[in-house]
Amino acid sequence: MSRSSIRLAVALGLSALILIAVAALRGGEYDEYYSVFLIAGHPRPTWPTAPFLVSAARSFYHGSASFGRIAEALRHGDVHPPLYFWLASVWKDVFGAALFRLRLLSALCTVVSLFLVARIARRVGAPPILAVTITLLCTGFAYTGIVARGFALAGTLSLAGTLFLIDAEAGSKPSRSFAGGIALGAACFTNYLACFTALAMLVWIAIVRWRHRSVWLWSWFGAALFTPAGYWFFSVQYGTRDGQFTPFHLAHTVFLLARDQAGAILGGLPRYTPPGWQPALEIVLAILLIFLAVLAIGNLSRLAPRYRALLVAGITAPPAGLLALGLIFDTTPVEMRYLWLGIPFIGLTLANALRYWSKTAAFLVAVQFAAILGLALAPQTMQPGTRTARMAAEYAGPETLVLVPFGNDGVGIPGPFIATAPGDMRMMVVRA
């Protein structure tokens, strides 16, 4: 092995350890229990209406659903396509149904994504190890990289599609272009929001290889193969989440996108620092972000124009897509995790800009690592279900009846609580 290959292997190994640690330390997320119950064959558990022991309800976390049953439940329940859940079902049958074990599937996909980031970095002329490091330590990437949802798999497929298209562009290879289209289409069949990045990459290959239609048309054809199946799922789900987000206001949506994009890169350090330090820390982070933006834009000229366009398209596609969704459907679908697909392109751009700014790069990595520690340990970054169950177990006696809200659908709130609570706890799910 060459020295660069050894360094990359070490970087990926350390990345895997960081992701596993975050996956082990973070409490369960509401959305993750949709995954747990769905692949167990109980997409909406029917909790007892009378008091029960936690151990009696654990059967909902186990079981096995066929691909067809998963698909049918998704069409009439959760608003996601099935590819991740099919893969998670196979993973569960092999490695077990515990949430941490499901998270390891996402962590594995994320390590593969980082390998693809390194390969893309070599193609475009950015430092691979620095690109991998910055990308991994972006909070939005690490967070979506461990949760038991389809973010990590969609990211892997999107990056694989991008790498295939880069190879197709460089060598005018229709087979690589077709493979790239297949990967991008599969990403959309994992998470609908991947269509923004997929469309950006497909437009990029069409522009840079417009005269070689046998190249770029194959990529569009490969992606289009997933369109009928994707529409079959999406058509019955359209409008099922009315009221999930606030109505659209342009200035407010742009502000939220800017805030969440900054948080996806540098994390939420001000949220879990002493109150007296927060204003100064916010100023430092804002200055750092502005400096990084100026440096990144100023150093794009080092890249070939076609790769410059590729990175800009990859960065801007997710926020532009969310803004378009909000404008078209009069909603504000903005969350930090919805920007995850642009983060590898940000990592590549920053690595290109910081290759000769070693002190700035070290400072950025230190800030990001501190944010990742908060992601793994700070309660302010976690949903309260797991923590609340542990507190209830500490204070509840043998005769205590613990009341847990049913919530919107009996999944997000009872799911993580019951998974963490001791088996002999008496509880009741309250349908108020």
Side-chain angles (χ1 to χ4, degrees), residues 38-183:
L38 176 67
I39 63 178
H42 311 286
R44 296 292 185 270
T46 53
W47 305 113
T49 56
F52 59 90
L53 290 178
V54 166
S55 58
R58 291 277 167 79
S59 60
F60 290 116
Y61 297 76
H62 304 280
S64 184
S66 66
F67 282 13
R69 188 175 177 185
I70 290 172
E72 190 64 23
L74 286 170
R75 285 195 80 220
H76 297 97
D78 205 350
V79 290
H80 294 86
L83 189 57
Y84 163 75
F85 301 101
W86 287 341
L87 181 60
S89 177
V90 175
W91 180 274
K92 175 190 69 70
D93 291 342
V94 176
F95 297 102
L99 178 61
F100 172 69
R101 298 186 182 189
L102 284 180
R103 284 179 168 180
L104 291 181
L105 171 60
S106 295
L108 175 61
C109 291
T110 304
V111 173
V112 175
S113 291
L114 292 172
F115 172 75
L116 295 171
V117 167
R119 294 287 298 274
I120 294 172
R122 289 197 178 101
R123 299 294 197 279
V124 304
I129 303 300
L130 185 56
V132 166
T133 302
I134 293 174
T135 301
L136 168 70
L137 296 180
C138 284
T139 296
F141 184 85
Y143 167 72
T144 55
I146 60 96
V147 293
R149 298 294 279 177
F151 298 109
L153 177 60
T156 302
L157 292 168
S158 294
L159 289 169
T162 300
L163 181 59
F164 277 128
L165 292 188
I166 291 173
D167 289 346
E169 183 276 334
S172 297
K173 299 176 181 177
S175 60
R176 293 296 181 94
S177 182
F178 180 64
I182 290 287

Side-chain angles (χ1 to χ4, degrees), residues 200-286:
M201 297 301 105
L202 293 171
V203 170
W204 173 80
I205 189 67
I207 291 175
V208 298
R209 276 289 178 261
W210 178 252
R211 295 183 179 180
H212 297 78
R213 295 187 180 182
S214 62
V215 174
W216 65 267
L217 279 176
W218 275 107
S219 67
W220 285 75
F221 176 67
L225 292 177
F226 287 87
T227 301
Y231 179 76
W232 187 74
F233 279 91
F234 182 76
S235 60
V236 296
Q237 299 169 353
Y238 175 73
T240 58
R241 293 293 180 95
D242 287 342
Q244 182 180 7
F245 299 106
T246 58
F248 179 80
H249 295 285
L250 179 60
H252 181 59
T253 302
V254 171
F255 167 77
L256 292 178
L257 285 170
R259 182 199 66 182
D260 288 353
Q261 188 70 83
I265 299 170
L266 296 182
L269 284 171
R271 295 185 60 186
Y272 40 87
T273 53
W277 289 81
Q278 290 178 0
L281 181 58
E282 289 173 352
I283 292 173
V284 170
L285 295 179

Side-chain angles (χ1 to χ4, degrees), residues 10-47:
V10 171
L12 293 177
L14 292 175
S15 299
L17 292 176
I18 291 173
L19 291 166
I20 291 171
V22 175
L25 292 170
R26 282 188 64 80
E29 302 272 344
Y30 296 165
D31 285 358
E32 290 182 296
Y33 283 89
Y34 288 92
S35 304
V36 170
F37 293 135
L38 176 67
I39 63 178
H42 311 286
R44 296 292 185 270
T46 53
W47 305 113

